[in-house]
Amino acid sequence: MERISWDQYFMSQSQLLALRSTCERLSVGATIVRDKRVIAGGYNGSVSGGVHCIDEGCKVVDGHCVRTIHAEANAILQCAKFGVATEGAEMYVTHFPCLNCCKTIIQSGIKKIFYAYDYKNSSYGIELLNDAGVEFEKVELDYLHIDTNTKDKLYFISSLLEKLEARGVESEELKELRLEANKLFTFVD
Protein backbone atom coordinates (compact mmCIF):
# COMPACT_ATOMS: atom_id res chain seq x y z
CA MET A 1 0.00 0.00 0.00
CA GLU A 2 1.31 3.43 -0.93
CA ARG A 3 1.19 6.09 1.79
CA ILE A 4 -0.37 9.45 1.05
CA SER A 5 1.90 12.48 0.75
CA TRP A 6 2.39 14.89 3.65
CA ASP A 7 0.44 17.56 1.78
CA GLN A 8 -2.51 15.20 1.29
CA TYR A 9 -2.31 14.08 4.91
CA PHE A 10 -2.37 17.58 6.38
CA MET A 11 -4.97 18.85 3.90
CA SER A 12 -7.13 15.88 4.85
CA GLN A 13 -6.80 16.98 8.49
CA SER A 14 -8.09 20.40 7.49
CA GLN A 15 -11.00 18.82 5.62
CA LEU A 16 -11.91 16.87 8.76
CA LEU A 17 -11.70 20.03 10.87
CA ALA A 18 -14.05 21.77 8.42
CA LEU A 19 -16.68 19.15 9.29
CA ARG A 20 -16.81 20.75 12.79
CA SER A 21 -17.68 24.16 11.33
CA THR A 22 -20.84 25.80 12.60
CA CYS A 23 -21.02 28.27 9.71
CA GLU A 24 -23.88 27.80 7.26
CA ARG A 25 -22.21 29.71 4.46
CA LEU A 26 -18.86 27.94 4.11
CA SER A 27 -17.13 25.21 6.13
CA VAL A 28 -13.41 25.87 6.52
CA GLY A 29 -10.69 23.98 8.38
CA ALA A 30 -7.08 24.95 9.10
CA THR A 31 -4.15 22.92 10.38
CA ILE A 32 -0.87 24.45 11.57
CA VAL A 33 2.18 22.24 11.08
CA ARG A 34 5.80 22.49 12.13
CA ASP A 35 8.42 19.88 11.20
CA LYS A 36 5.72 17.52 9.85
CA ARG A 37 3.84 17.64 13.18
CA VAL A 38 0.39 19.14 13.76
CA ILE A 39 0.63 21.90 16.37
CA ALA A 40 -2.93 23.26 16.13
CA GLY A 41 -6.17 23.08 14.22
CA GLY A 42 -9.21 25.28 13.84
CA TYR A 43 -12.50 25.61 12.05
CA ASN A 44 -14.82 28.53 11.48
CA GLY A 45 -17.45 29.00 14.12
CA SER A 46 -18.69 31.21 16.92
CA VAL A 47 -16.83 32.20 20.07
CA SER A 48 -16.75 29.50 22.75
CA GLY A 49 -20.09 29.34 24.52
CA GLY A 50 -21.73 31.67 21.99
CA VAL A 51 -24.68 31.18 19.68
CA HIS A 52 -23.80 29.29 16.51
CA CYS A 53 -24.95 30.10 13.00
CA ILE A 54 -26.31 26.56 12.58
CA ASP A 55 -28.61 27.27 15.55
CA GLU A 56 -29.85 30.79 14.78
CA GLY A 57 -28.57 31.65 11.33
CA CYS A 58 -25.71 33.88 10.28
CA LYS A 59 -25.38 37.41 11.63
CA VAL A 60 -24.45 39.18 8.40
CA VAL A 61 -23.15 42.75 8.34
CA ASP A 62 -21.83 44.25 5.09
CA GLY A 63 -21.90 40.82 3.44
CA HIS A 64 -19.86 39.08 6.17
CA CYS A 65 -20.95 36.92 9.08
CA VAL A 66 -19.70 38.80 12.15
CA ARG A 67 -20.55 35.91 14.47
CA THR A 68 -17.92 33.61 12.98
CA ILE A 69 -14.22 33.41 13.80
CA HIS A 70 -12.34 32.11 10.80
CA ALA A 71 -10.58 28.73 10.89
CA GLU A 72 -7.13 30.27 10.38
CA ALA A 73 -7.61 32.68 13.29
CA ASN A 74 -8.99 29.91 15.52
CA ALA A 75 -5.91 27.74 14.84
CA ILE A 76 -3.52 30.63 15.54
CA LEU A 77 -5.46 31.58 18.69
CA GLN A 78 -5.22 27.97 19.87
CA CYS A 79 -1.44 28.26 19.63
CA ALA A 80 -1.50 31.54 21.57
CA LYS A 81 -3.77 30.09 24.24
CA PHE A 82 -1.48 27.14 24.88
CA GLY A 83 1.86 28.88 24.35
CA VAL A 84 2.82 27.17 21.09
CA ALA A 85 5.02 29.23 18.77
CA THR A 86 3.85 29.68 15.18
CA GLU A 87 7.07 31.28 13.90
CA GLY A 88 8.26 29.34 10.84
CA ALA A 89 5.26 27.01 10.77
CA GLU A 90 3.08 26.11 7.78
CA MET A 91 -0.69 26.25 7.50
CA TYR A 92 -2.96 23.91 5.55
CA VAL A 93 -6.35 25.50 4.96
CA THR A 94 -9.30 24.28 2.92
CA HIS A 95 -9.90 27.68 1.26
CA PHE A 96 -7.61 30.56 0.35
CA PRO A 97 -7.51 32.91 3.36
CA CYS A 98 -9.48 36.15 3.37
CA LEU A 99 -7.64 39.49 3.66
CA ASN A 100 -7.86 39.63 7.47
CA CYS A 101 -6.63 36.04 7.78
CA CYS A 102 -3.74 36.80 5.41
CA LYS A 103 -2.73 39.65 7.74
CA THR A 104 -3.11 37.43 10.82
CA ILE A 105 -1.03 34.68 9.20
CA ILE A 106 1.73 37.15 8.33
CA GLN A 107 1.78 38.55 11.89
CA SER A 108 1.90 35.05 13.38
CA GLY A 109 5.14 34.22 11.55
CA ILE A 110 3.70 31.36 9.50
CA LYS A 111 5.99 30.95 6.47
CA LYS A 112 3.83 29.01 4.00
CA ILE A 113 0.14 28.44 3.27
CA PHE A 114 -1.20 25.39 1.46
CA TYR A 115 -4.83 25.65 0.34
CA ALA A 116 -7.23 23.38 -1.52
CA TYR A 117 -9.79 25.79 -3.00
CA ASP A 118 -9.71 29.32 -4.30
CA TYR A 119 -12.30 31.45 -2.53
CA LYS A 120 -12.61 35.16 -3.21
CA ASN A 121 -8.81 35.46 -3.22
CA SER A 122 -8.01 39.04 -2.24
CA SER A 123 -5.48 40.67 -4.57
CA TYR A 124 -4.34 42.87 -1.68
CA GLY A 125 -4.01 39.80 0.57
CA ILE A 126 -1.84 38.17 -2.10
CA GLU A 127 0.23 41.34 -2.37
CA LEU A 128 0.73 41.40 1.42
CA LEU A 129 1.72 37.71 1.49
CA ASN A 130 4.23 38.28 -1.31
CA ASP A 131 5.67 41.38 0.37
CA ALA A 132 6.05 39.47 3.66
CA GLY A 133 7.69 36.49 1.94
CA VAL A 134 4.87 34.13 2.90
CA GLU A 135 4.60 31.46 0.22
CA PHE A 136 1.28 29.96 -0.80
CA GLU A 137 0.53 26.89 -2.86
CA LYS A 138 -2.64 25.24 -4.07
CA VAL A 139 -2.87 21.55 -3.14
CA GLU A 140 -5.52 19.63 -5.04
CA LEU A 141 -7.09 16.99 -2.84
CA ASP A 142 -6.71 13.43 -4.02
CA TYR A 143 -10.26 12.17 -3.63
CA LEU A 144 -9.08 8.57 -3.68
CA HIS A 145 -7.74 9.28 -0.19
CA ILE A 146 -10.46 11.51 1.26
CA ASP A 147 -14.04 11.88 0.17
CA THR A 148 -15.83 15.11 1.02
CA ASN A 149 -19.07 14.11 -0.75
CA THR A 150 -20.08 10.96 1.12
CA LYS A 151 -23.53 12.24 2.15
CA ASP A 152 -24.34 13.36 -1.40
CA LYS A 153 -23.24 10.01 -2.83
CA LEU A 154 -25.26 8.09 -0.26
CA TYR A 155 -28.36 10.18 -1.05
CA PHE A 156 -27.81 9.67 -4.79
CA ILE A 157 -27.52 5.88 -4.45
CA SER A 158 -30.59 5.74 -2.20
CA SER A 159 -32.64 7.70 -4.71
CA LEU A 160 -31.45 5.44 -7.56
CA LEU A 161 -32.50 2.34 -5.61
CA GLU A 162 -35.91 3.90 -4.92
CA LYS A 163 -36.36 4.65 -8.62
CA LEU A 164 -35.40 1.09 -9.54
CA GLU A 165 -37.93 -0.23 -7.03
CA ALA A 166 -40.63 2.07 -8.43
CA ARG A 167 -39.88 0.71 -11.93
CA GLY A 168 -40.44 -2.84 -10.79
CA VAL A 169 -36.93 -4.24 -10.48
CA GLU A 170 -37.14 -7.63 -8.76
CA SER A 171 -36.82 -7.55 -4.99
CA GLU A 172 -33.92 -10.06 -4.92
CA GLU A 173 -31.91 -7.96 -7.34
CA LEU A 174 -32.69 -4.80 -5.31
CA LYS A 175 -31.69 -6.59 -2.12
CA GLU A 176 -28.29 -7.43 -3.63
CA LEU A 177 -27.82 -3.84 -4.82
CA ARG A 178 -28.70 -2.51 -1.34
CA LEU A 179 -26.19 -4.88 0.25
CA GLU A 180 -23.47 -3.70 -2.14
CA ALA A 181 -24.33 -0.04 -1.42
CA ASN A 182 -24.22 -0.70 2.32
CA LYS A 183 -20.78 -2.28 1.96
CA LEU A 184 -19.54 0.88 0.23
CA PHE A 185 -20.67 3.17 3.06
CA THR A 186 -20.03 0.96 6.09
CA PHE A 187 -16.66 0.18 7.63
CA VAL A 188 -16.72 -3.48 8.57
CA ASP A 189 -13.73 -5.68 9.38
Side-chain angles (χ1 to χ4, degrees):
M1 179 175 86
E2 185 179 329
R3 297 187 329 172
I4 65 173
S5 70
W6 285 113
D7 287 344
Q8 290 296 313
Y9 175 75
F10 294 125
M11 192 59 75
S12 296
Q13 296 281 336
S14 295
Q15 289 290 339
L16 287 172
L17 283 162
L19 295 175
R20 292 281 307 151
S21 171
T22 61
C23 178
E24 293 185 316
R25 300 172 77 197
L26 182 68
S27 296
V28 179
T31 304
I32 302 177
V33 174
R34 187 183 314 104
D35 300 323
K36 303 290 185 232
R37 301 285 183 264
V38 174
I39 60 172
Y43 52 87
N44 55 330
S46 301
V47 296
S48 297
V51 173
H52 294 284
C53 298
I54 58 174
D55 298 327
E56 293 190 13
C58 293
K59 188 175 181 85
V60 178
V61 176
D62 295 329
H64 299 284
C65 180
V66 296
R67 178 175 285 143
T68 300
I69 300 170
H70 290 189
E72 302 92 327
N74 263 333
I76 292 167
L77 289 168
Q78 186 181 87
C79 286
K81 185 175 185 177
F82 294 106
V84 178
T86 53
E87 186 70 35
E90 300 172 333
M91 179 179 279
Y92 288 80
V93 63
T94 55
H95 296 76
F96 193 87
C98 72
L99 174 59
N100 283 329
C101 286
C102 285
K103 293 188 281 187
T104 302
I105 290 166
I106 292 166
Q107 289 300 98
S108 74
I110 289 172
K111 67 177 180 178
K112 187 164 184 177
I113 302 164
F114 297 90
Y115 67 98
Y117 307 108
D118 290 300
Y119 183 73
K120 300 181 182 179
N121 301 19
S122 164
S123 58
Y124 184 54
I126 291 170
E127 180 183 332
L128 289 174
L129 292 171
N130 286 328
D131 289 348
V134 176
E135 298 176 47
F136 50 94
E137 179 182 331
K138 189 169 187 176
V139 174
E140 298 283 339
L141 271 176
D142 181 347
Y143 288 99
L144 292 175
H145 292 109
I146 184 167
D147 187 354
T148 59
N149 297 312
T150 303
K151 287 181 186 176
D152 294 334
K153 290 176 182 177
L154 184 58
Y155 175 77
F156 178 74
I157 288 173
S158 294
S159 65
L160 279 177
L161 291 172
E162 288 173 11
K163 288 177 183 178
L164 288 172
E165 185 175 28
R167 292 204 170 108
V169 172
E170 292 184 32
S171 61
E172 275 305 308
E173 188 177 356
L174 271 175
K175 184 178 177 181
E176 287 179 31
L177 290 171
R178 280 194 173 87
L179 285 172
E180 282 298 313
N182 285 336
K183 284 181 192 176
L184 289 174
F185 292 99
T186 307
F187 299 102
V188 180
D189 288 330

